[in-house]
Amino acid sequence: MHLLEVQNLRKVYTTRFGGAQVQALANVTFNVEKGEFTAIMGESGSGKTTLLNILAALDRPTSGEVLLNGRSLAAIPEKELAAFRRDNLGFVFQDFNLLDTFSLKDNILLPLVLAGAPYKEMERRLQPLVRKLGIGEILGKFPYEVSGGQKQRAAIARALITSPQLILADEPTGALDSRASDGLLRLFSEINEAGQTILMVTHSVKAASHAKRVLFIKDGEIFHQLYRGELTVEQMYERIADTLTLLAAGGGARV
């Protein structure tokens, strides 16, 4: 069984003024296996953000279906969605989404606090995770007291603390300098090698080149895909850049 199944997704928005209809997703179908690291790329307006919001159960498709480990997101009652997201999905955002009035430790533990986990269980999960991420010495600091790279590591710790089935990352290197970006991408690769499934939306060729597979979305459809296979990160970078150039020129074949 696939961990994530996306079947014939279509999303149409109706504008507030004039009632015109805008199709954000036309017919998106793909699967993600457990343990995969998949990147989704596309130009602004291609449908990436809409797709991510539907996968995160933050929006509903007009038609089609998303299944996580065989469970349809559409079948989850509205009142249970927040708990479902907290227990099954981890989120890493471009702007970190940390609470400035909480220490890094409290930010990381927040999903477990909301789930009512015992304090001993929180500490048991926290310590090995922050050691791995290299932020154990700054847990008492607040987000405005640390660097962008440290904030993003705290955000990753918060995403991982519930042992989610799937990590959804939205432009995770977008607010980082090149050094912090390199560190984050190495970290994502390590987390993935340890078995964590990751789906990342990004504009960055550099970020996508660390994924094992890249899906290209264009005009609301999955237009093309690349598998990394035995390619190095550098070789994958070149393949992605060439594919983006081809798609921008109107070439390539739909998958």
Side-chain angles (χ1 to χ4, degrees):
M1 183 188 294
H2 308 295
L3 176 64
L4 179 70
E5 298 176 69
V6 180
Q7 302 174 351
N8 306 114
L9 278 195
R10 182 170 170 266
K11 181 65 179 181
V12 178
Y13 293 101
T14 302
T15 58
R16 291 181 62 186
F17 303 104
Q21 292 195 328
V22 177
Q23 182 166 266
L25 297 176
N27 181 28
V28 174
T29 296
F30 66 93
N31 300 314
V32 175
E33 307 298 327
K34 183 176 174 56
E36 265 201 282
F37 181 4
T38 301
I40 296 177
M41 301 194 77
E43 297 176 347
S44 295
S46 61
K48 301 190 307 300
T49 300
T50 299
L51 176 59
L52 191 67
N53 286 340
I54 291 173
L55 299 183
L58 295 169
D59 196 2
R60 302 277 194 179
T62 303
S63 61
E65 192 171 31
V66 177
L67 296 98
L68 184 64
N69 211 8
R71 185 178 185 186
S72 172
L73 300 193
I76 302 172
E78 197 72 33
K79 63 182 180 180
E80 297 177 17
L81 276 175
F84 174 83
R85 284 191 291 265
R86 184 185 65 230
D87 295 341
N88 295 279
L89 303 172
F91 299 93
V92 181
F93 303 96
Q94 176 177 335
D95 57 0
F96 321 124
N97 278 23
L98 299 174
L99 299 173
D100 277 337
T101 54
F102 281 25
S103 67
L104 295 186
K105 179 178 179 178
D106 289 341
N107 269 286
I108 294 166
L109 292 177
L110 184 58
L112 295 183
V113 172
L114 294 173
Y119 185 74
K120 284 187 177 179
E121 174 65 12
M122 294 186 204
E123 285 293 324
R124 185 189 70 78
R125 294 192 185 200
L126 178 70
Q127 294 307 323
L129 188 55
V130 296
R131 281 198 298 271
K132 179 181 179 62
L133 295 173
I135 55 173
E137 301 300 315
I138 59 170
L139 289 181
K141 292 185 178 293
F142 290 84
Y144 55 81
E145 297 178 308
V146 301
S147 69
Q150 290 169 326
K151 288 180 191 176
Q152 197 59 292
R153 285 172 181 262
I156 292 170
R158 181 186 57 193
L160 291 171
I161 196 80
T162 58
S163 302
Q165 296 192 60
L166 177 66
I167 291 285
L168 296 173
D170 185 10
E171 298 287 359
T173 62
L176 303 178
D177 60 30
S178 59
R179 181 177 178 182
S181 294
D182 290 343
L184 176 69
L185 293 170
R186 284 194 299 270
L187 191 57
F188 264 25
S189 295
E190 291 170 10
I191 292 167
N192 173 245
E193 290 301 322
Q196 178 65 58
T197 310
I198 302 172
L199 182 68
M200 174 177 64
V201 168
T202 183
H203 280 100
S204 168
V205 176
K206 184 177 185 180
S209 65
H210 284 72
K212 293 178 179 176
R213 177 171 60 137
V214 181
L215 301 175
F216 298 87
I217 189 167
K218 181 178 181 181
D219 300 328
E221 296 185 63
I222 300 297
F223 197 82
H224 192 65
Q225 64 181 331
L226 288 176
Y227 285 89
R228 183 169 163 186
E230 300 301 316
L231 297 178
T232 64
V233 171
E234 292 75 16
Q235 290 170 329
M236 188 64 168
Y237 184 103
E238 292 179 6
R239 291 282 301 279
I240 294 169
D242 289 345
T243 300
L244 288 173
T245 300
L246 185 64
L247 293 181
R254 280 184 169 83
V255 293

